[in-house]
Amino acid sequence: MRFTPAPARMGSSSWNIRQNDSMPLEDLLTRLQTLPDSKRKEAYLRFLNAAGTAALRKDGGPEHVTGSCFVFSPGFDHVLLCFHRKGQFWVQFGGHVEPEDASVAETAQREAREESGLGDLALLSPAIMDLDRHDLQGGFSCSTHWDVGFAAVISRDVVTTVSDESEAVRWFPISELPARLPEGFLERLEYVRRTAMSLPDAVC
């Protein structure tokens, strides 16, 4: 069974409505607790507990949570990447948490749909598969992203589109990835791929 997001909330979309709504934060903290113990997990928990709901707001401070999605082919032998306009590298889809997102998993799914043009894309699971805190260089309005990654699978026959934040969207064989990748991306991608393949509903 694929991940199905909760219905969007009605009413204003301003962050003023969401300031006292801790549901996305509580969901993220709960899912983090299910991960194996690690220094990275503990760092995320410390940051979230210290920053509170502001950690999930893109205007809540220079450091905040983002959600991302690694998109694989059904055989897990290809990955769909976008060439990030600001970063100037190939990377998975992702972005900031928006007021209508009931969880960071919803953020990841929405961002992947928006940045790839694949409106039917669905996460394999709301389970967290990647944690990547990274500092940002020039061109970004914030200093640090605490990214939370998820995974999805879709046919390579689908038609993709390019968003304003990217210069290209392209499938790559896992064995022939491009040279321009963020530091540590290869190791993270392989970990997410193996984790996603182990899920009961994974297609291999």
Side-chain angles (χ1 to χ4, degrees):
M1 180 181 297
R2 297 295 175 87
F3 168 64
T4 303
R9 295 189 171 197
M10 301 298 292
S12 170
S13 62
S14 75
W15 272 109
N16 291 330
I17 299 299
R18 213 0 121 68
Q19 282 180 343
N20 295 320
D21 186 348
S22 60
M23 183 172 66
L25 176 61
E26 292 174 354
D27 178 80
L28 180 55
L29 287 169
T30 298
R31 296 194 183 281
L32 281 169
Q33 294 287 3
T34 67
L35 299 178
D37 290 337
S38 68
K39 292 182 178 179
R40 185 169 300 174
K41 168 186 169 179
E42 293 305 315
Y44 269 67
L45 290 172
R46 286 195 301 270
F47 171 65
L48 292 171
N49 283 311
T53 56
L56 274 69
R57 293 167 44 198
K58 59 185 175 183
D59 62 351
E63 300 190 22
H64 41 254
V65 170
T66 53
S68 69
C69 180
F70 294 79
V71 180
F72 297 98
S73 61
F76 289 92
D77 54 351
H78 286 72
V79 62
L80 186 64
L81 303 176
C82 64
F83 192 77
H84 198 281
R85 189 178 300 278
K86 291 182 179 180
Q88 288 295 293
F89 45 57
W90 291 96
V91 70
Q92 79 272 24
F93 305 101
H96 294 103
V97 180
E98 297 293 348
E100 64 269 23
D101 298 333
S103 67
V104 181
E106 281 196 20
T107 297
Q109 180 171 278
R110 175 184 52 75
E111 288 284 344
R113 288 177 173 180
E114 293 175 356
E115 294 182 354
S116 67
L118 303 177
D120 293 333
L121 185 76
L123 298 186
L124 279 172
S125 166
I128 296 171
M129 300 193 189
D130 181 57
L131 296 175
D132 178 46
R133 179 193 181 279
H134 51 271
D135 296 327
L136 305 174
Q137 306 302 320
F140 293 87
S141 59
C142 37
S143 66
T144 304
H145 282 170
W146 294 74
D147 191 64
V148 181
F150 303 85
V153 168
I154 199 164
S155 170
R156 291 175 57 208
D157 295 331
V158 295
V159 178
T160 60
T161 59
V162 179
S163 72
D164 293 339
E165 297 183 3
S166 304
E167 295 183 6
V169 172
R170 179 180 164 188
W171 286 102
F172 290 94
I174 294 295
S175 60
E176 300 177 23
L177 295 172
R180 301 182 71 171
L181 297 168
E183 183 178 357
F185 183 82
L186 290 174
E187 294 79 8
R188 291 171 44 231
L189 173 65
E190 183 59 20
Y191 178 82
V192 172
R193 188 175 79 95
R194 290 184 178 277
T195 302
M197 289 174 65
S198 71
L199 295 175
D201 293 325
V203 180
C204 300

